[in-house]
Amino acid sequence: MSANLPPSRASFRFYAELNEHLPPGERYCTFEKEFFVPAPVTDLIESAGVPHTEVELILVNGESSDFSRLIRDGDRVAVYPMFESLDITPELRLRERALRQPKFVLDVHLGKLAGYLRMLGFDALYDNRASDHELVRISAEQNRILLTRDRGVLKHSAVTHGYWLRETDSRRQAAEVVARFDLAGLMRPFTRCMSCNALLREASPAEVQGRIPLDVVERRDPVTECSVCQHIYWQGSHYRRMRRWIEQLSAAATGARDL
Ligand SMILES: [Zn+2]
Protein backbone atom coordinates (compact mmCIF):
# COMPACT_ATOMS: atom_id res chain seq x y z
CA MET A 1 0.00 0.00 0.00
CA SER A 2 1.47 3.35 -1.00
CA ALA A 3 2.09 5.76 1.84
CA ASN A 4 1.39 8.62 -0.55
CA LEU A 5 -2.26 7.72 -1.11
CA PRO A 6 -4.56 9.63 1.24
CA PRO A 7 -7.04 7.44 3.14
CA SER A 8 -10.66 7.30 1.99
CA ARG A 9 -13.47 8.48 4.24
CA ALA A 10 -17.02 7.24 4.67
CA SER A 11 -19.72 8.26 7.13
CA PHE A 12 -21.27 5.70 9.48
CA ARG A 13 -24.42 5.74 11.52
CA PHE A 14 -25.42 2.83 13.78
CA TYR A 15 -28.98 2.38 14.96
CA ALA A 16 -30.76 1.22 18.12
CA GLU A 17 -28.91 -1.26 20.37
CA LEU A 18 -25.89 -1.43 18.03
CA ASN A 19 -24.80 1.80 19.72
CA GLU A 20 -24.05 -0.20 22.88
CA HIS A 21 -20.90 -1.50 21.15
CA LEU A 22 -19.53 1.94 20.21
CA PRO A 23 -17.35 4.28 22.25
CA PRO A 24 -19.45 7.06 23.84
CA GLY A 25 -18.43 9.74 21.31
CA GLU A 26 -19.73 7.70 18.36
CA ARG A 27 -23.11 6.64 19.74
CA TYR A 28 -26.35 7.83 18.13
CA CYS A 29 -24.58 10.15 15.69
CA THR A 30 -22.99 10.10 12.26
CA PHE A 31 -19.23 9.80 12.35
CA GLU A 32 -16.49 9.44 9.76
CA LYS A 33 -14.09 6.54 9.44
CA GLU A 34 -10.85 6.61 7.48
CA PHE A 35 -9.72 3.53 5.60
CA PHE A 36 -7.78 2.36 2.58
CA VAL A 37 -9.77 1.01 -0.35
CA PRO A 38 -11.00 -1.53 -1.10
CA ALA A 39 -12.61 -2.09 2.31
CA PRO A 40 -15.44 -4.63 2.81
CA VAL A 41 -18.23 -3.05 4.83
CA THR A 42 -18.20 -5.88 7.39
CA ASP A 43 -14.52 -5.13 8.22
CA LEU A 44 -15.33 -1.46 8.82
CA ILE A 45 -18.37 -2.31 10.96
CA GLU A 46 -16.32 -4.70 13.10
CA SER A 47 -13.41 -2.26 13.41
CA ALA A 48 -15.96 0.19 14.83
CA GLY A 49 -16.62 -2.44 17.55
CA VAL A 50 -19.88 -4.01 16.34
CA PRO A 51 -19.93 -7.83 15.79
CA HIS A 52 -21.42 -8.66 12.39
CA THR A 53 -23.79 -11.17 14.02
CA GLU A 54 -25.65 -8.24 15.58
CA VAL A 55 -26.32 -6.66 12.19
CA GLU A 56 -29.45 -7.34 10.18
CA LEU A 57 -29.49 -4.60 7.56
CA ILE A 58 -26.86 -2.41 5.95
CA LEU A 59 -27.74 0.51 3.72
CA VAL A 60 -24.97 2.06 1.62
CA ASN A 61 -26.07 5.36 0.10
CA GLY A 62 -29.64 4.28 0.82
CA GLU A 63 -29.40 0.86 -0.91
CA SER A 64 -29.48 -2.45 0.92
CA SER A 65 -26.07 -4.14 0.75
CA ASP A 66 -24.54 -7.43 1.79
CA PHE A 67 -21.54 -7.99 4.06
CA SER A 68 -19.04 -8.14 1.19
CA ARG A 69 -19.94 -4.74 -0.26
CA LEU A 70 -16.81 -2.66 -0.84
CA ILE A 71 -16.95 0.82 0.63
CA ARG A 72 -15.57 3.76 -1.34
CA ASP A 73 -14.61 7.32 -0.57
CA GLY A 74 -17.66 9.40 0.31
CA ASP A 75 -20.07 6.48 0.91
CA ARG A 76 -22.78 6.84 3.56
CA VAL A 77 -23.30 3.67 5.59
CA ALA A 78 -26.31 3.04 7.85
CA VAL A 79 -26.24 -0.11 10.00
CA TYR A 80 -29.32 -1.62 11.68
CA PRO A 81 -29.73 -4.39 14.25
CA MET A 82 -32.09 -7.38 13.97
CA PHE A 83 -35.69 -6.48 13.30
CA GLU A 84 -37.41 -9.34 15.07
CA SER A 85 -40.72 -7.55 15.43
CA LEU A 86 -40.61 -5.07 12.56
CA ASP A 87 -41.76 -5.84 9.08
CA ILE A 88 -38.90 -5.55 6.64
CA THR A 89 -38.99 -7.19 3.26
CA PRO A 90 -37.05 -10.45 2.82
CA GLU A 91 -34.67 -9.07 0.20
CA LEU A 92 -33.37 -6.55 2.72
CA ARG A 93 -32.30 -9.22 5.15
CA LEU A 94 -28.68 -10.34 5.25
CA ARG A 95 -29.54 -13.89 6.20
CA GLU A 96 -32.42 -16.28 6.56
CA ARG A 97 -34.84 -15.60 9.37
CA ALA A 98 -33.93 -16.84 12.80
CA LEU A 99 -34.47 -20.58 12.95
CA ARG A 100 -38.02 -21.39 13.96
CA GLN A 101 -37.14 -24.02 16.55
CA PRO A 102 -34.05 -22.23 17.76
CA LYS A 103 -31.15 -24.19 19.22
CA PHE A 104 -28.33 -22.67 21.19
CA VAL A 105 -24.69 -23.22 22.03
CA LEU A 106 -23.35 -21.30 25.01
CA ASP A 107 -19.87 -20.14 25.86
CA VAL A 108 -18.03 -21.60 28.86
CA HIS A 109 -19.16 -18.91 31.32
CA LEU A 110 -22.88 -19.45 30.80
CA GLY A 111 -23.57 -22.73 32.58
CA LYS A 112 -26.40 -21.34 34.71
CA LEU A 113 -28.09 -19.79 31.68
CA ALA A 114 -27.87 -23.16 29.91
CA GLY A 115 -29.81 -24.70 32.83
CA TYR A 116 -32.54 -22.07 32.64
CA LEU A 117 -32.91 -22.35 28.86
CA ARG A 118 -33.17 -26.15 29.16
CA MET A 119 -35.78 -25.76 31.89
CA LEU A 120 -37.79 -23.63 29.45
CA GLY A 121 -37.49 -26.49 26.95
CA PHE A 122 -34.83 -25.07 24.62
CA ASP A 123 -32.03 -27.17 23.17
CA ALA A 124 -28.98 -25.53 24.79
CA LEU A 125 -25.54 -27.12 24.33
CA TYR A 126 -23.02 -26.28 27.01
CA ASP A 127 -19.62 -27.72 27.78
CA ASN A 128 -17.35 -25.86 30.16
CA ARG A 129 -14.26 -27.22 28.37
CA ALA A 130 -15.21 -26.04 24.85
CA SER A 131 -12.76 -23.70 23.14
CA ASP A 132 -13.95 -20.61 21.25
CA HIS A 133 -12.97 -22.39 18.04
CA GLU A 134 -15.19 -25.40 18.92
CA LEU A 135 -18.12 -23.14 19.84
CA VAL A 136 -17.88 -21.37 16.49
CA ARG A 137 -17.67 -24.71 14.63
CA ILE A 138 -20.68 -26.19 16.49
CA SER A 139 -22.72 -23.05 15.89
CA ALA A 140 -22.03 -23.19 12.14
CA GLU A 141 -22.40 -26.96 11.67
CA GLN A 142 -25.51 -27.41 13.79
CA ASN A 143 -27.23 -24.07 13.06
CA ARG A 144 -27.10 -23.11 16.71
CA ILE A 145 -27.31 -19.55 17.94
CA LEU A 146 -24.07 -18.82 19.77
CA LEU A 147 -24.70 -17.01 23.06
CA THR A 148 -21.80 -15.23 24.69
CA ARG A 149 -20.72 -12.26 26.78
CA ASP A 150 -17.51 -12.07 24.69
CA ARG A 151 -17.86 -9.87 21.60
CA GLY A 152 -14.59 -11.27 20.21
CA VAL A 153 -16.16 -14.72 19.72
CA LEU A 154 -18.89 -13.22 17.54
CA LYS A 155 -16.35 -11.63 15.22
CA HIS A 156 -15.39 -15.02 13.74
CA SER A 157 -16.67 -14.91 10.17
CA ALA A 158 -18.11 -18.46 10.45
CA VAL A 159 -20.71 -17.27 12.98
CA THR A 160 -23.94 -16.42 11.20
CA HIS A 161 -26.25 -16.62 14.21
CA GLY A 162 -24.87 -15.21 17.40
CA TYR A 163 -25.94 -12.94 20.17
CA TRP A 164 -24.05 -10.86 22.68
CA LEU A 165 -25.86 -10.93 26.01
CA ARG A 166 -26.35 -7.59 27.75
CA GLU A 167 -27.42 -8.96 31.11
CA THR A 168 -24.99 -10.55 33.57
CA ASP A 169 -27.45 -12.30 35.91
CA SER A 170 -28.33 -15.73 34.50
CA ARG A 171 -32.08 -15.53 35.10
CA ARG A 172 -32.22 -12.09 33.52
CA GLN A 173 -30.17 -13.47 30.64
CA ALA A 174 -32.78 -16.18 30.07
CA ALA A 175 -35.51 -13.51 29.99
CA GLU A 176 -33.35 -11.48 27.60
CA VAL A 177 -32.97 -14.45 25.22
CA VAL A 178 -36.72 -15.16 25.30
CA ALA A 179 -37.51 -11.51 24.53
CA ARG A 180 -34.75 -11.06 21.95
CA PHE A 181 -35.68 -14.10 19.85
CA ASP A 182 -39.41 -13.85 20.54
CA LEU A 183 -39.55 -17.30 22.13
CA ALA A 184 -42.39 -17.00 24.62
CA GLY A 185 -44.71 -19.02 22.38
CA LEU A 186 -42.09 -21.75 21.88
CA MET A 187 -41.40 -22.48 25.55
CA ARG A 188 -41.96 -26.11 26.65
CA PRO A 189 -41.16 -25.89 30.35
CA PHE A 190 -39.92 -28.95 32.24
CA THR A 191 -39.50 -31.17 29.19
CA ARG A 192 -35.70 -31.16 29.06
CA CYS A 193 -32.99 -32.17 31.52
CA MET A 194 -31.32 -29.17 33.16
CA SER A 195 -28.12 -31.16 33.67
CA CYS A 196 -27.50 -32.73 30.27
CA ASN A 197 -29.98 -31.19 27.77
CA ALA A 198 -31.65 -34.53 26.89
CA LEU A 199 -35.44 -34.83 26.70
CA LEU A 200 -37.32 -36.04 29.78
CA ARG A 201 -39.80 -38.90 29.81
CA GLU A 202 -42.65 -39.44 32.22
CA ALA A 203 -42.01 -42.01 34.90
CA SER A 204 -44.47 -43.60 37.30
CA PRO A 205 -43.78 -42.97 41.01
CA ALA A 206 -43.55 -46.74 41.49
CA GLU A 207 -40.84 -46.95 38.86
CA VAL A 208 -38.62 -44.47 40.68
CA GLN A 209 -39.54 -45.46 44.23
CA GLY A 210 -36.55 -45.22 46.55
CA ARG A 211 -35.05 -42.46 44.48
CA ILE A 212 -37.64 -39.77 45.34
CA PRO A 213 -39.11 -38.54 48.66
CA LEU A 214 -41.88 -40.75 50.06
CA ASP A 215 -44.45 -37.92 50.11
CA VAL A 216 -44.01 -37.43 46.35
CA VAL A 217 -44.82 -41.11 45.86
CA GLU A 218 -47.82 -40.89 48.20
CA ARG A 219 -49.23 -37.80 46.49
CA ARG A 220 -48.73 -39.52 43.12
CA ASP A 221 -47.16 -36.30 41.82
CA PRO A 222 -46.02 -36.37 38.21
CA VAL A 223 -42.39 -37.43 37.93
CA THR A 224 -40.09 -37.24 34.93
CA GLU A 225 -36.76 -38.92 34.32
CA CYS A 226 -33.94 -37.95 32.00
CA SER A 227 -33.56 -40.51 29.25
CA VAL A 228 -29.78 -40.09 29.26
CA CYS A 229 -28.43 -39.22 32.73
CA GLN A 230 -31.39 -40.71 34.69
CA HIS A 231 -31.81 -37.53 36.73
CA ILE A 232 -35.32 -37.48 38.25
CA TYR A 233 -37.51 -34.37 38.44
CA TRP A 234 -40.60 -33.90 40.58
CA GLN A 235 -42.77 -30.96 41.52
CA GLY A 236 -41.14 -29.71 44.72
CA SER A 237 -40.67 -26.16 45.97
CA HIS A 238 -38.06 -25.40 43.32
CA TYR A 239 -40.53 -26.44 40.64
CA ARG A 240 -43.21 -24.12 42.06
CA ARG A 241 -40.79 -21.17 42.21
CA MET A 242 -39.69 -21.79 38.65
CA ARG A 243 -43.26 -22.12 37.42
CA ARG A 244 -44.07 -18.70 38.88
CA TRP A 245 -41.03 -17.23 37.16
CA ILE A 246 -42.04 -18.78 33.81
CA GLU A 247 -45.55 -17.35 34.18
CA GLN A 248 -44.00 -13.91 34.71
CA LEU A 249 -41.84 -14.39 31.61
CA SER A 250 -44.89 -15.23 29.51
CA ALA A 251 -46.87 -12.31 30.92
CA ALA A 252 -43.99 -9.91 30.19
CA ALA A 253 -43.72 -11.20 26.62
CA THR A 254 -47.46 -10.79 26.02
CA GLY A 255 -47.33 -7.28 27.47
CA ALA A 256 -44.43 -6.33 25.19
CA ARG A 257 -46.33 -7.49 22.12
CA ASP A 258 -49.38 -5.44 23.09
CA LEU A 259 -47.36 -2.22 23.27
ZN1 LIG B 1 -29.99 -35.61 31.89
Side-chain angles (χ1 to χ4, degrees), residues 193-198 200 226-231 233:
C193 180
M194 289 179 72
S195 309
C196 78
N197 198 40
L200 302 177
C226 175
S227 50
V228 172
C229 77
Q230 269 81 53
H231 194 106
Y233 296 84

mmCIF file of all heavy atoms in Angstrom, residues 193-198 200 226-231 233, ligand 1:
data_model
loop_
_atom_site.group_PDB
_atom_site.id
_atom_site.type_symbol
_atom_site.label_atom_id
_atom_site.label_comp_id
_atom_site.label_asym_id
_atom_site.label_seq_id
_atom_site.Cartn_x
_atom_site.Cartn_y
_atom_site.Cartn_z
ATOM 1 N N CYS A 193 -33.840 -32.025 30.338
ATOM 2 C CA CYS A 193 -32.988 -32.174 31.521
ATOM 3 C C CYS A 193 -32.094 -30.942 31.694
ATOM 4 O O CYS A 193 -31.379 -30.558 30.772
ATOM 5 C CB CYS A 193 -32.131 -33.432 31.362
ATOM 6 S SG CYS A 193 -31.030 -33.726 32.772
ATOM 7 N N MET A 194 -32.140 -30.341 32.896
ATOM 8 C CA MET A 194 -31.320 -29.166 33.156
ATOM 9 C C MET A 194 -29.842 -29.517 33.228
ATOM 10 O O MET A 194 -28.990 -28.661 33.014
ATOM 11 C CB MET A 194 -31.749 -28.498 34.468
ATOM 12 C CG MET A 194 -33.091 -27.805 34.377
ATOM 13 S SD MET A 194 -33.575 -27.049 35.952
ATOM 14 C CE MET A 194 -32.442 -25.645 36.041
ATOM 15 N N SER A 195 -29.523 -30.767 33.536
ATOM 16 C CA SER A 195 -28.116 -31.162 33.666
ATOM 17 C C SER A 195 -27.475 -31.475 32.328
ATOM 18 O O SER A 195 -26.340 -31.102 32.075
ATOM 19 C CB SER A 195 -27.977 -32.417 34.537
ATOM 20 O OG SER A 195 -28.650 -32.253 35.736
ATOM 21 N N CYS A 196 -28.183 -32.216 31.459
ATOM 22 C CA CYS A 196 -27.498 -32.733 30.270
ATOM 23 C C CYS A 196 -28.193 -32.379 28.955
ATOM 24 O O CYS A 196 -27.712 -32.750 27.896
ATOM 25 C CB CYS A 196 -27.308 -34.248 30.374
ATOM 26 S SG CYS A 196 -28.789 -35.192 30.022
ATOM 27 N N ASN A 197 -29.327 -31.681 28.990
ATOM 28 C CA ASN A 197 -29.984 -31.192 27.766
ATOM 29 C C ASN A 197 -30.838 -32.247 27.057
ATOM 30 O O ASN A 197 -31.491 -31.958 26.068
ATOM 31 C CB ASN A 197 -28.941 -30.610 26.787
ATOM 32 C CG ASN A 197 -29.546 -29.710 25.724
ATOM 33 O OD1 ASN A 197 -30.445 -28.931 26.031
ATOM 34 N ND2 ASN A 197 -29.081 -29.809 24.489
ATOM 35 N N ALA A 198 -30.842 -33.498 27.550
ATOM 36 C CA ALA A 198 -31.650 -34.534 26.889
ATOM 37 C C ALA A 198 -33.134 -34.341 27.246
ATOM 38 O O ALA A 198 -33.468 -33.670 28.229
ATOM 39 C CB ALA A 198 -31.196 -35.919 27.335
ATOM 40 N N LEU A 200 -36.833 -35.276 28.637
ATOM 41 C CA LEU A 200 -37.321 -36.043 29.779
ATOM 42 C C LEU A 200 -38.461 -36.942 29.338
ATOM 43 O O LEU A 200 -39.159 -36.652 28.371
ATOM 44 C CB LEU A 200 -37.816 -35.085 30.866
ATOM 45 C CG LEU A 200 -36.785 -34.083 31.400
ATOM 46 C CD1 LEU A 200 -37.441 -33.158 32.428
ATOM 47 C CD2 LEU A 200 -35.602 -34.810 32.016
ATOM 48 N N CYS A 226 -34.764 -38.218 33.181
ATOM 49 C CA CYS A 226 -33.937 -37.952 32.002
ATOM 50 C C CYS A 226 -33.610 -39.267 31.310
ATOM 51 O O CYS A 226 -33.177 -40.224 31.958
ATOM 52 C CB CYS A 226 -32.652 -37.233 32.396
ATOM 53 S SG CYS A 226 -31.539 -37.026 31.000
ATOM 54 N N SER A 227 -33.795 -39.271 30.002
ATOM 55 C CA SER A 227 -33.563 -40.507 29.250
ATOM 56 C C SER A 227 -32.078 -40.812 29.112
ATOM 57 O O SER A 227 -31.704 -41.911 28.749
ATOM 58 C CB SER A 227 -34.206 -40.393 27.861
ATOM 59 O OG SER A 227 -33.818 -39.184 27.254
ATOM 60 N N VAL A 228 -31.220 -39.858 29.413
ATOM 61 C CA VAL A 228 -29.775 -40.086 29.262
ATOM 62 C C VAL A 228 -29.073 -40.212 30.616
ATOM 63 O O VAL A 228 -28.427 -41.208 30.900
ATOM 64 C CB VAL A 228 -29.130 -38.967 28.412
ATOM 65 C CG1 VAL A 228 -27.605 -39.089 28.412
ATOM 66 C CG2 VAL A 228 -29.665 -39.014 26.986
ATOM 67 N N CYS A 229 -29.204 -39.185 31.478
ATOM 68 C CA CYS A 229 -28.427 -39.221 32.735
ATOM 69 C C CYS A 229 -29.246 -39.745 33.919
ATOM 70 O O CYS A 229 -28.739 -39.819 35.037
ATOM 71 C CB CYS A 229 -27.821 -37.853 33.038
ATOM 72 S SG CYS A 229 -28.991 -36.638 33.704
ATOM 73 N N GLN A 230 -30.515 -40.106 33.667
ATOM 74 C CA GLN A 230 -31.394 -40.714 34.693
ATOM 75 C C GLN A 230 -31.709 -39.777 35.863
ATOM 76 O O GLN A 230 -32.175 -40.212 36.905
ATOM 77 C CB GLN A 230 -30.803 -42.021 35.255
ATOM 78 C CG GLN A 230 -31.256 -43.261 34.501
ATOM 79 C CD GLN A 230 -30.465 -43.475 33.238
ATOM 80 O OE1 GLN A 230 -29.247 -43.509 33.270
ATOM 81 N NE2 GLN A 230 -31.156 -43.602 32.123
ATOM 82 N N HIS A 231 -31.422 -38.490 35.699
ATOM 83 C CA HIS A 231 -31.811 -37.527 36.733
ATOM 84 C C HIS A 231 -33.345 -37.515 36.818
ATOM 85 O O HIS A 231 -34.019 -37.558 35.800
ATOM 86 C CB HIS A 231 -31.278 -36.136 36.351
ATOM 87 C CG HIS A 231 -31.331 -35.155 37.471
ATOM 88 N ND1 HIS A 231 -30.216 -34.744 38.167
ATOM 89 C CD2 HIS A 231 -32.383 -34.493 38.021
ATOM 90 C CE1 HIS A 231 -30.570 -33.879 39.096
ATOM 91 N NE2 HIS A 231 -31.882 -33.709 39.026
ATOM 92 N N TYR A 233 -36.929 -35.672 38.117
ATOM 93 C CA TYR A 233 -37.510 -34.367 38.442
ATOM 94 C C TYR A 233 -38.918 -34.558 38.985
ATOM 95 O O TYR A 233 -39.705 -35.312 38.410
ATOM 96 C CB TYR A 233 -37.577 -33.484 37.187
ATOM 97 C CG TYR A 233 -36.205 -33.146 36.630
ATOM 98 C CD1 TYR A 233 -35.546 -34.031 35.785
ATOM 99 C CD2 TYR A 233 -35.589 -31.938 36.944
ATOM 100 C CE1 TYR A 233 -34.288 -33.732 35.279
ATOM 101 C CE2 TYR A 233 -34.338 -31.618 36.441
ATOM 102 C CZ TYR A 233 -33.695 -32.525 35.612
ATOM 103 O OH TYR A 233 -32.456 -32.223 35.114
HETATM 104 ZN ZN ZN B 1 -29.991 -35.612 31.892
#
